[in-house]
Amino acid sequence: MVAIGKPRGTRDFTPDEMERRRAIEKKMRDVFERYGYREIVTPTIENMSLFTMKSGEGIVEETYAFNDKSGRMLALRPELTAPAMRFYLEKLQMEPKPLKIYYFGNCFRYDRPQKGRYREFWQMGCELIGSDKPEAIAELISTAYFVLKEAGLKNVQLRTGDLDILRSSIEKLGVEKADEIMRLIDKSDYEGVESLIEEKSGADEFMEFLKCRDFKSLGKFFDDVKIKRLGDVLEWLSVFGTPYILDTSIARGLDYYKGIVFEIDAPSLGAEKQLCGGGEYSLIPLLGGKDVPTSGFAIGFDRIVLALEKEGFSFPPSKEIVCILPIGGEMRKEAISLATKLREKGIMVEVDLMRRSMQKSLQYADRIRAKFAIIVGPDEWKKGTVIIKNMQSGEQKEVRKKELHNFL
Ligand code: HAM
């Protein structure tokens, strides 16, 4: 036991874990870039007021907030959409539209930790600023889908809905507690919803609407004008080659959403199965800016890693390292100068720093899964050669120093 542990809900990552995470991160970034998104970075801390405006009660309760030494109320960012919009207003408004930005960063929520739910977690996400054409929203949703596919996930489920339609159908019920209904729907607590609205006329129809998963049947509840935009986006999703399910009951937890919304799940993950969430939203007018269409999504990076493990994904093997081992103390300097030369050529090299015996050094090379050991002996060095040992086969070969890097 260490005397001081890490805070609840946070994690350390071993070198092996980081290698896997970085490999997945890279694949995901590549897809954002293929869709024309460019990366931004914003601060880990923001003014708390950025998040109190429209993120919703849940987020505010979950936000780590503190006063700094000058008494400013700051927050560790619980998400990256509000920071991205602040940045847009401060610096990016003159950029050509549509403006496509993506980010990868740690977020903090004072949540009850469990598998897949952490107090510090990583989001990779993006914002699309300047177009609300149905094909723009469909491209956004497709980006999310293909990022997850490229990460290596096989089993994901994309659900798309429309908050304007959902809110209208709640309005039709004539209830005062519309927000509470939205919250219950977001938690999939349908019994809770039913008990809140049971007295209302139209309650049965509303429950039927919530379960509607087929666009044609939506016509039973709304006229064509109301559902046209959703229909258009779904059609464009097919053009982008993106499989989806219509889900009328997507409520999204954050208050800034409106219009088309979507979520992507990994059914294999159980309780914390939501990998990605997003849609259209409005934040810029609240920040005092000129209104412009905005939409986006964020992927829970930690959950991607969990879902890949669950699916038995074979992560790329570790990068191969070469160990340089001097024979006896007198070859130590030669070994180190050889290491420097090979490192300059981009080869990953370890050189003995423990003054170990040859036998111990070889055991070490084996433990760190080195592909080759390069044995630097005085007789070979004089001839301009070294011995290369293949750590897997045990085979040894004398190679000229000059040809070494081609050989590796
Ligand atoms: P969100 O649904 O709150 O949306 O979070 C997005 C994703 O982050 C979730 O689907 C989940 O995978 C992951 N996530 C959330 N909380 C945790 C946690 N405590 N531990 C691990 N993973 C978590 C947003 O944050 C919006 N800003 C997305 C967006 C971008 N909307 C428009 N643009």
Side-chain angles (χ1 to χ4, degrees):
M1 266 289 277
V2 280
I4 303 175
K6 54 189 166 0
R8 195 166 132 78
T10 64
R11 289 155 298 157
D12 298 313
F13 298 99
T14 64
D16 281 344
E17 286 167 329
M18 280 317 295
E19 226 170 70
R20 291 170 157 216
R21 287 172 70 94
R22 290 289 186 217
I24 299 163
E25 177 195 324
K26 179 166 187 324
K27 289 204 220 175
M28 293 170 65
R29 284 174 181 280
D30 283 353
V31 181
F32 279 105
E33 287 168 18
R34 272 181 244 160
Y35 278 79
Y37 286 85
R38 296 174 68 212
E39 188 178 8
I40 58 163
V41 172
T42 58
T44 311
I45 49 173
E46 292 277 357
N47 286 308
M48 178 63 187
S49 50
L50 183 63
F51 303 107
T52 46
M53 286 185 309
K54 192 103 190 193
S55 296
E57 248 172 67
I59 278 283
V60 172
E61 266 169 37
E62 286 175 3
T63 298
Y64 277 90
F66 57 96
N67 285 308
D68 74 0
K69 290 183 177 155
S70 319
R72 296 182 193 91
M73 183 67 148
L74 299 181
L76 296 178
R77 59 186 177 197
E79 57 113 37
L80 283 143
T81 304
M85 291 303 111
R86 174 195 56 66
F87 185 23
Y88 168 75
L89 284 177
E90 281 177 29
K91 266 266 169 66
L92 305 172
Q93 286 194 74
M94 302 315 271
E95 296 287 313
K97 304 284 184 314
L99 176 61
K100 291 171 154 184
I101 49 183
Y102 84 96
Y103 44 76
F104 179 56
N106 52 348
C107 299
F108 303 83
R109 294 185 191 176
Y110 194 80
D111 224 343
R112 204 155 45 94
Q114 62 184 82
K115 189 152 185 144
R117 180 188 290 267
Y118 310 100
R119 289 186 174 170
E120 183 189 28
F121 60 99
W122 273 258
Q123 277 191 348
M124 192 180 288
C126 68
E127 313 299 336
L128 169 64
I129 304 166
S131 178
D132 55 5
K133 300 283 180 282
E135 59 271 38
I137 308 304
E139 191 198 69
L140 174 85
I141 300 174
S142 286
T143 309
Y145 178 79
F146 285 108
V147 169
L148 298 190
K149 281 295 184 187
E150 181 77 18
L153 287 168
K154 293 207 172 68
N155 190 8
V156 294
Q157 198 179 65
L158 164 65
R159 295 173 289 108
T160 305
D162 185 333
L163 277 185
D164 292 342
I165 296 177
L166 177 60
R167 288 200 179 115
S168 299
S169 60
I170 296 175
E171 258 167 46
K172 276 208 283 189
L173 285 171
V175 287
E176 294 92 55
K177 298 176 174 166
D179 285 351
E180 203 173 330
I181 295 182
M182 288 293 276
R183 220 163 299 133
L184 291 170
I185 295 173
D186 189 43
K187 286 193 223 138
S188 304
D189 180 358
Y190 295 117
E191 279 174 25
V193 176
E194 252 179 314
S195 66
L196 255 185
I197 63 169
E198 61 191 352
E199 313 272 272
K200 300 284 172 189
S201 79
D204 289 346
E205 190 185 300
F206 180 72
M207 293 313 293
E208 199 191 326
F209 160 78
L210 279 188
K211 288 174 190 145
C212 178
R213 295 290 174 272
D214 145 46
F215 185 72
K216 280 202 188 95
S217 315
L218 259 191
K220 273 208 307 219
F221 310 99
F222 289 99
D223 63 39
D224 292 352
V225 179
K226 185 84 192 162
I227 60 177
K228 178 167 187 317
R229 187 145 184 281
L230 175 61
D232 287 348
V233 171
L234 296 180
E235 221 175 290
W236 282 106
L237 274 178
S238 303
V239 176
F240 278 102
T242 305
Y244 64 86
I245 300 169
L246 168 70
D247 185 350
T248 50
S249 70
I250 300 179
R252 301 294 300 131
L254 302 161
D255 279 357
Y256 48 59
Y257 288 105
K258 58 170 201 179
I260 306 295
V261 284
F262 69 100
E263 291 174 349
I264 306 180
D265 301 330
S268 65
L269 285 187
E272 300 305 325
K273 65 180 165 68
Q274 202 184 109
L275 298 177
C276 172
E280 297 180 275
Y281 58 87
S282 173
L283 263 177
I284 288 178
L286 284 164
L287 296 171
K290 192 167 138 269
D291 206 6
V292 53
T294 45
S295 54
F297 63 83
I299 293 171
F301 182 75
D302 309 276
R303 293 186 188 173
I304 303 293
V305 180
L306 288 174
L308 285 170
E309 284 167 359
K310 201 89 190 204
E311 286 190 359
F313 179 75
S314 51
F315 288 86
S318 296
K319 287 178 207 139
E320 282 161 348
I321 195 155
V322 170
C323 272
I324 302 187
L325 317 175
I327 296 182
E330 78 268 28
M331 296 311 288
R332 211 167 291 290
K333 287 183 178 147
E334 287 76 3
I336 286 175
S337 74
L338 181 61
T340 301
K341 285 206 180 87
L342 292 177
R343 284 169 178 156
E344 277 169 358
K345 297 227 155 41
I347 296 167
M348 282 172 47
V349 176
E350 268 261 45
V351 61
D352 176 45
L353 294 178
M354 304 277 284
R355 304 199 174 182
R356 283 185 169 115
S357 70
M358 183 52 63
Q359 191 200 357
K360 289 264 165 62
S361 289
L362 285 168
Q363 280 169 4
Y364 171 74
D366 204 43
R367 277 205 63 187
I368 66 164
R369 299 185 294 254
K371 189 173 184 200
F372 295 107
I374 299 175
I375 299 163
V376 180
D379 297 342
E380 289 83 11
W381 194 263
K382 273 184 219 135
K383 285 192 280 169
T385 65
V386 290
I387 308 278
I388 284 202
K389 182 182 165 95
N390 182 319
M391 292 302 292
Q392 234 151 34
S393 64
E395 197 187 324
Q396 296 201 17
K397 208 170 171 181
E398 197 170 333
V399 176
R400 296 199 64 74
K401 275 188 280 171
K402 286 201 183 91
E403 285 153 24
L404 200 51
H405 93 271
N406 294 330
F407 187 88
L408 297 170

